Amino acid sequence: MSTDAGTRRARTRRRRSRAFLVAFAAVIAVLGIVGLAGAAVTTAQGPRVTRVSVDPDAAVSAAGSRLIFTTTQSLAEVSPDQVSVSPATAFTVDTSGRSVGVRFAMPLWTEYTVTIADVTGVGGGASTTITKSFLTPPLQSYILQRGSDGDTIFRTDLAGDAAVPVFTDPQIEDFRATAGYLVVSTMDADGHSHLVVTDLDGQNQRELTLPGEGILSNLQSADRGNLVGYTFSDADVGAPGARASILFTASLAEAQQGDEPTQVTRTGGDSRVDDWRFVPGTDSLLTLTYDGALTLVSPSGGAPVALGNAVAITGIARGSTTVVVERVDGPVAIDLATAQEAALAPTDKALGRVNSVIPLADGQTLRVLAQLDGFTVRSTTVHLVDEQGAARPVFSVEPGNTLIETCVSPSGRYAAFLVAPDAVDNPYDGHQLPLPEKLQTHVVSLADGREQVALAGFDISWCQTPPRL
């Protein structure tokens, strides 16, 4: 092979290499220009939404659901005054990277539109308005019916004609429905309690560990997270050292189903609990112990907060930290976030004596009022009372019937009134939590007092606590 031939091939390779590098550089330059142009266009247009995430099914049943917008750019911080929700409902907003989330403080109940104005990228540029509308599904609830051949939990809508049995047991004492589970307190033939957890359709049944053999009562569930609580008494409660009405909490997470429940104790005083509540949006519990002490307890280790003495806890409004308790001299509202106490505006005495008060998140209360003739109850009515004491009737109980419990739906749109008809001739069943054999749950719209449905049974899943007689 000649030297000239080799030299020509080398020159050819060098020319081809230079041509490739020039072409490659040109492509890179074009891509860079296109990329800069695209970035310029994106900046000029402002952030655009690439995905919206919302779970309407969860939003209708529990507080704390979120609507999340994901966009094409990392976002500047979005403030609450840039956000509007129609119809109006309480919310918080947070910004992270390319996403902005709106968290609803209360469960929802209709079609909502969320609009965020003046959304900009973190580097500035044009702003844009993003919006999303979504519709929550029809409200569903669960209700318990007891019978001579066993007890059954039904899932139903507000029409009352589509009830579906989801869980049956020879003896169901009580149950709670969370965002993902049914938690059912049952009792075996030996009189010992069991705590059963299922999916919302009654499937995948499993049992939680209890503190021992004994009686479980006052079952409740937290508004957020997979946490339940209950009071527990040993089967041999009269024996020395036996536990009586001790408060425990437990996780519903499958990975923790074998864990021992956590005992909640009150240092420096009686830990036997007469009543208690989960405080919405926190890990705290409000306890009323046998010595009458009202105490805010934090399972995470915070110092307990003494709130004086009380006769009863009448309720905590969902989506708030306001509790109404019955003092010796009458009901008061306490803000558990600040421990500030305020007297409730009185209602007209002509409406009757106040039997119970149920707070709502908007500051109103539902009050059960009784007209008395000596010690005889002549009539019972329920009024929606505003913060100034103005009252509007929403429900009345027929003479001869007894109002046992009042519960408010998660959204605050409806109330459920548990009534025992023909109270004198309505015998009680033989359960640990005894109730009249015939029970009706009347669901009423608080907007106009119109009855939506009357359901056979009790313990509608809106209730935060079991009936107390």
Side-chain angles (χ1 to χ4, degrees), residues 401-415:
N401 297 348
T402 299
L403 178 62
I404 295 176
E405 186 178 32
T406 299
C407 302
V408 179
S409 68
S411 66
R413 186 184 184 192
Y414 301 102

Side-chain angles (χ1 to χ4, degrees), residues 304-316:
V305 178
L307 297 171
N309 288 346
V311 177
I313 301 171
T314 64
I316 295 181

Side-chain angles (χ1 to χ4, degrees), residues 126-329:
S127 65
T128 189
T129 296
I130 58 179
T131 187
K132 172 66 177 179
S133 296
F134 64 95
L135 179 66
T136 58
L139 189 61
Q140 299 259 326
S141 63
Y142 295 82
I143 198 161
L144 173 57
Q145 292 182 8
R146 291 175 176 172
S148 57
D149 56 349
D151 305 331
T152 302
I153 297 171
F154 291 87
R155 183 177 63 239
T156 184
D157 58 17
L158 290 191
D161 55 3
V164 177
V166 294
F167 184 83
T168 299
D169 190 85
Q171 185 168 336
I172 299 176
E173 292 294 323
D174 189 20
F175 82 99
R176 299 273 87 79
T178 73
Y181 301 103
L182 291 178
V183 190
V184 188
S185 171
T186 67
M187 184 164 287
D188 62 27
D190 295 323
H192 299 150
S193 292
H194 298 264
L195 194 57
V196 178
V197 180
T198 75
D199 296 341
L200 292 176
D201 59 2
Q203 302 299 308
N204 298 318
Q205 179 176 328
R206 52 193 171 91
E207 191 166 329
L208 296 186
T209 301
L210 292 182
E213 288 189 341
I215 304 298
L216 180 154
S217 60
N218 207 350
L219 175 67
Q220 299 180 41
S221 62
D223 284 346
R224 296 183 189 176
N226 292 316
L227 194 66
V228 294
Y230 51 85
T231 53
F232 182 84
S233 299
D234 286 321
D236 56 347
V237 67
R243 296 166 294 187
S245 297
I246 301 300
L247 180 58
F248 289 86
T249 62
S251 173
L252 300 180
E254 290 189 47
Q256 297 176 261
Q257 71 179 59
D259 292 359
E260 293 292 328
T262 301
Q263 182 173 333
V264 179
T265 57
R266 169 177 166 243
T267 57
D270 197 339
S271 288
R272 293 174 299 167
V273 172
D274 178 60
D275 201 2
W276 71 280
R277 295 291 190 280
F278 279 113
V279 180
T282 75
D283 69 344
S284 297
L285 303 98
L286 181 67
T287 63
L288 178 62
T289 46
Y290 273 29
D291 57 3
L294 190 68
T295 309
L296 194 61
V297 180
S298 174
S300 60
V305 178
L307 297 171
N309 288 346
V311 177
I313 301 171
T314 64
I316 295 181
R318 283 187 170 96
S320 80
T321 54
T322 299
V323 61
V324 172
V325 303
E326 187 75 25
R327 303 281 198 197
V328 172
D329 53 356

